[in-house]
Amino acid sequence: MLTNWLRGIAAAPAVFGGFPGLALLPADAALPADKAAALVAELAARFAAAIEDRSAVAGRLAALRAELAKRGLAGVIVPLTDEYQSEYVPMRAQRLSWLTGFTGSAGLAIVLTDKAAIWSDGRYTLQLAQQVDGALFERLHSIDNPPTDWVKANLKAGEKLAYDPWLHVEDGVKRFAAACEAAGATLVAADGNPIDVVWADQPPPPLGPVLIQSTDLAGRGAAEKRAEIAAVIKARGADAVVLTLPESIAWLLNIRGSDVPHTPLPLSMAVLNADSAVDLYIDARKLDDAVRQHLGDVRLHAPDDFPAALAALGQAKKAVQVDPATSGIFVLQTLEQAGAKLIRAEDPCLLPKACKTEAELDGTRAAHRRDGAAITRFLAWLDQQTAKSIAVDEISAAEKLQSFRRLDNALRDLSFSTISGAGPNGAIVHYRVTKATNRNLESGNLYLVDSGGQYPDGTTDITRTVAIGTPTEEMRDRFTRVLKGHIAIATAKFPEGTAGQQLDALARKPLWEIGLDYDHGTGHGVGSFLSVHEGPQRIAKAGSAVPLKPGMIVSNEPGYYKTGGYGIRIENLVAVRVETEKAENGKRWLGFETLTRAPIDRRLIELCLLNAAEVAWLDAYHALVWHDIAPLVDDETRDWLKQATAPLGA
């Protein structure tokens, strides 16, 4: 019994060296706290080492193929997700990394009897090449060479390709089914994930404590939110809505969790009924008495009871709303097969969650001021070290930045693993430094650091690119063009109803003018002490068609990447706000409030490329940084900040 507790706690992420789940151990565990901590740390290290053991990939691939042969399957699709369709997944769901060695945050593999392939997007092209053995997996771009095309070309007539119905949404299953049909083959749902069968010592579901998000921080009580969403689904004709996104459940019930890295998600599923009653399917060991009292009349159930609850809704002929874009197809199929009337509609929590309350906006402003102070201390320290020719490498820089953030006792976690890239490593868009790849920050380098913090009052995400020594003329040109694109988004004014994809070209235009571009979106939504990547809003070429609305928080992060040379990205978070309440055409006009507070490296700016309005924006931004951050830092950092935020003409 105690072993199960310890394994579950070890399967949840450590935060700054400690395991939050240790607080959940029963009082009668009869195990000293230091002994429990040591055992959990040992288990966690073993789990992590196994997941990232690239030397074992060939053997694992062979074992998987043997399991597929036993089942009469020609292959299996292996996505990087879990049953909650989360971006950050617990150790238990790291099937793609365990099988291939790839540690990026987006990817998919397909394993057939005689060949295999892995896909990711443009952020991870270089990382795929570095981490995945090309002799075992063909490495492909998910847009240029879609997995469905590969299936059509490589699956043989009469063969069966398997998928885990918990891990795939309906649209994806339809696309793969069509690809299989084109090849004369069949897509079939696996009876249990075959990787789980061959993964010896697979970690269990994580066991991290659930936390209360106070109404003061959330701006609205859980009862009010439940009543609002219940009214929405009732108006749609639904008796209930199934919620499978933990962030939606966290928002709805004003709770947070500790189950996955960097995002305070309480892994769980829920059913909200039209009378606002809630059934929550969660490991009850995560809930202390205070959380149980906070949840009040929420009915608690074990996670394993969820499939039976879906079937019961169907058997009762209920009309059930489900989001086919965020729920595994298992949920839809179980409901329909049991007799439910399925109402396919977007998760009703997504939009209200994205439009922050005034309390949440005030909180994120406060969090960004404190976070900006940490970033400023770090940038000042980095300048001092490099000016004295004191060696700094990517790992030590990331650790120093974390130490400055931790001076704020409110910090709960980083909001993602810090991207700390010097020289050519900075050109790897979502680079993660390891001991094997660690580089010194050398004179003539650009250093790119993308980082963020999770605070109870807000989630931060900021990227700064710093010159180490004297930058080249090309570096200054590219940096300034990225800055121009950044300013274009920051100063954009647009009519209500405008979607992010309509703004994306503004950020790219200065690069497009000289035949350059970047292979990632310009902006993603950000939560309130929730996911650093939040929908439905985003700014990208193929962005969401959902209009930007007041209270939404998005990133503003154009970039440029020269493979083998350097990377540049300038990222601030911005909040959508009303600029004009009623314009001539009767519509409100919207714009952005910049939330992030940290200086942008003036040494990398080619002043002749900026127009007067752009210079004015940067000078005004730096004046805000000085006003808000100077009182929060020490005298030495303040002196550095005075120079770093001086007007461009000074």
Side-chain angles (χ1 to χ4, degrees):
M1 180 68 173
L2 181 58
T3 298
N4 291 337
W5 281 82
L6 296 175
R7 282 174 57 83
I9 294 166
V15 181
F16 306 138
F19 290 86
L22 286 167
L24 299 171
L25 277 175
D28 60 356
L31 186 66
D34 57 345
K35 179 66 172 176
L39 287 172
V40 166
E42 182 181 335
L43 281 167
R46 189 177 80 200
F47 290 156
I51 290 169
E52 296 195 13
D53 183 5
R54 295 191 182 95
S55 67
V57 166
R60 292 168 179 174
L61 194 57
L64 176 59
R65 284 175 168 145
E67 175 64 21
L68 294 175
K70 283 183 189 176
R71 301 186 184 200
L73 299 171
V76 65
I77 306 169
V78 186
L80 177 54
T81 191
D82 59 9
E83 58 267 43
Y84 309 98
Q85 302 300 314
S86 299
E87 175 183 10
Y88 289 104
V89 299
M91 285 186 177
R92 178 176 181 78
Q94 289 284 357
R95 299 177 181 91
L96 187 69
S97 292
W98 180 85
L99 181 67
T100 68
F102 175 61
T103 61
S105 66
L108 177 141
I110 299 177
V111 175
L112 300 181
T113 305
D114 57 348
K115 61 186 67 175
I118 183 169
W119 289 262
S120 192
D121 57 38
R123 297 171 296 169
Y124 295 112
T125 302
L126 297 178
Q127 190 171 333
L128 275 178
Q130 291 175 349
Q131 293 185 330
V132 179
D133 187 344
L136 298 175
F137 292 89
E138 189 177 359
R139 299 168 300 210
L140 300 169
H141 191 291
S142 55
I143 303 300
D144 298 339
N145 298 283
T148 48
D149 288 355
W150 190 88
V151 166
K152 292 175 190 176
N154 290 282
L155 207 58
K156 299 179 181 65
E159 291 184 328
K160 296 178 182 178
L161 179 65
Y163 72 99
D164 183 336
W166 280 106
L167 307 184
H168 294 263
V169 298
E170 186 176 48
D171 187 57
V173 171
K174 287 179 178 177
R175 291 197 306 271
F176 275 113
C180 289
E181 185 178 354
T186 308
L187 184 71
V188 298
D191 183 13
N193 195 303
I195 289 182
D196 297 350
V197 175
V198 299
W199 186 349
D201 199 27
Q202 183 183 24
L207 188 56
V210 170
L211 314 169
I212 299 168
Q213 185 73 347
S214 72
T215 304
D216 287 346
L217 293 174
R220 301 174 65 197
E224 179 186 348
K225 294 178 182 179
R226 287 166 54 181
E228 176 193 308
I229 302 303
V232 169
I233 65 167
K234 189 174 183 179
R236 194 181 285 274
D239 298 306
V241 60
V242 174
L243 301 174
T244 60
L245 291 179
E247 50 263 59
S248 291
I249 296 166
W251 173 84
L252 181 70
L253 301 179
N254 281 352
I255 57 175
R256 299 296 187 266
S258 319
D259 287 328
V260 299
H262 307 310
T263 306
L265 297 181
L267 294 187
S268 54
M269 294 187 181
V271 177
L272 171 67
N273 297 281
D275 63 359
S276 83
V278 175
D279 292 278
L280 178 63
Y281 297 82
I282 191 168
D283 188 332
R285 294 178 298 171
K286 301 175 183 180
L287 312 176
D288 64 18
D289 290 342
V291 174
R292 288 173 182 268
Q293 184 176 356
H294 166 79
L295 289 172
D297 62 354
V298 172
R299 298 184 289 252
L300 302 176
H301 309 271
D304 288 347
D305 294 340
F306 185 63
L310 297 176
L313 286 170
Q315 290 158 6
K317 306 303 180 185
K318 297 290 188 181
V320 183
Q321 181 173 327
V322 183
D323 187 344
T326 62
S327 296
I329 196 171
F330 176 91
V331 174
L332 285 77
Q333 290 175 337
T334 301
L335 286 165
E336 282 192 314
Q337 289 168 7
K341 176 188 175 184
L342 211 58
I343 299 175
R344 289 170 168 81
E346 183 177 76
D347 180 332
C349 298
L350 292 184
L351 198 55
K353 174 169 59 68
C355 297
K356 308 298 183 286
T357 64
E358 281 304 314
E360 289 172 322
L361 289 172
D362 286 343
T364 201
R365 291 181 188 110
H368 275 88
R369 288 192 293 271
R370 301 193 311 274
D371 197 69
I375 290 287
T376 299
R377 289 189 184 102
F378 169 74
L379 294 174
W381 169 84
L382 184 61
D383 262 12
Q384 292 159 3
Q385 299 302 104
T386 55
K388 297 174 184 176
S389 299
I390 298 174
V392 179
D393 60 32
E394 294 167 343
I395 291 177
S396 64
E399 290 173 344
K400 190 67 175 180
L401 174 53
Q402 178 176 296
S403 74
F404 283 125
R405 275 201 171 95
R406 291 186 67 184
L407 293 174
D408 181 351
N409 291 328
L411 182 72
R412 294 293 176 264
D413 196 355
L414 302 182
S415 56
F416 55 95
S417 297
T418 297
I419 298 169
S420 176
N425 286 344
I428 303 172
V429 178
H430 276 205
Y431 170 70
R432 189 178 78 172
V433 60
T434 66
K435 290 180 180 179
T437 65
N438 190 27
R439 293 178 62 94
N440 284 330
L441 280 59
E442 299 173 348
S443 182
N445 277 175
L446 292 186
Y447 171 60
L448 186 153
V449 57
D450 186 349
S451 67
Q454 289 283 12
Y455 305 89
D457 50 353
T459 299
T460 70
D461 183 1
I462 174 175
T463 307
R464 288 297 181 262
T465 304
V466 181
I468 308 298
T470 304
T472 66
E473 183 178 336
E474 179 188 276
M475 290 173 177
R476 289 165 58 88
D477 175 272
R478 304 303 188 261
F479 182 91
T480 307
R481 291 179 185 277
V482 171
L483 176 60
K484 286 171 72 71
H486 179 96
I487 295 171
I489 295 294
T491 58
K493 304 293 185 291
F494 46 93
E496 193 165 28
T498 300
Q501 68 187 81
Q502 294 170 267
L503 304 180
D504 181 74
L506 298 177
R508 299 178 191 272
K509 183 176 181 291
L511 288 167
W512 284 355
E513 287 172 347
I514 57 170
L516 301 175
D517 199 1
Y518 50 94
D519 195 7
H520 60 75
T522 298
H524 55 81
V526 178
S528 179
F529 190 38
L530 270 175
S531 176
V532 76
H533 295 134
E534 177 183 84
Q537 74 278 18
R538 63 192 299 247
I539 303 172
K541 291 179 182 178
S544 167
V546 173
L548 296 171
K549 293 181 177 292
M552 287 181 169
I553 297 173
V554 293
S555 66
N556 173 10
E557 52 178 310
Y560 169 73
Y561 310 92
K562 184 176 183 178
T563 302
Y566 56 86
I568 296 167
R569 188 158 64 251
I570 303 170
E571 178 185 19
N572 287 341
L573 298 191
V574 298
V576 182
R577 65 183 178 190
V578 177
E579 295 287 343
T580 304
E581 191 61 46
K582 190 173 182 181
E584 184 178 333
N585 61 6
K587 287 188 175 182
R588 291 195 300 180
W589 281 68
L590 309 179
F592 295 116
E593 170 195 352
T594 295
L595 302 169
T596 305
R597 294 288 189 267
I600 293 169
D601 195 341
R602 296 164 74 254
R603 298 166 297 188
L604 279 164
I605 296 172
E606 193 65 68
L607 190 56
C608 66
L609 290 178
L610 297 181
N611 61 37
E614 291 165 338
V615 171
W617 181 89
L618 188 62
D619 285 347
Y621 174 69
H622 275 155
L624 278 174
V625 172
W626 169 255
H627 177 271
D628 287 352
I629 302 303
L632 304 180
V633 296
D634 57 273
D635 291 345
E636 189 174 6
T637 301
R638 193 177 301 113
D639 290 342
W640 177 89
L641 181 63
K642 187 70 173 177
Q643 296 300 316
T645 58
L648 281 181

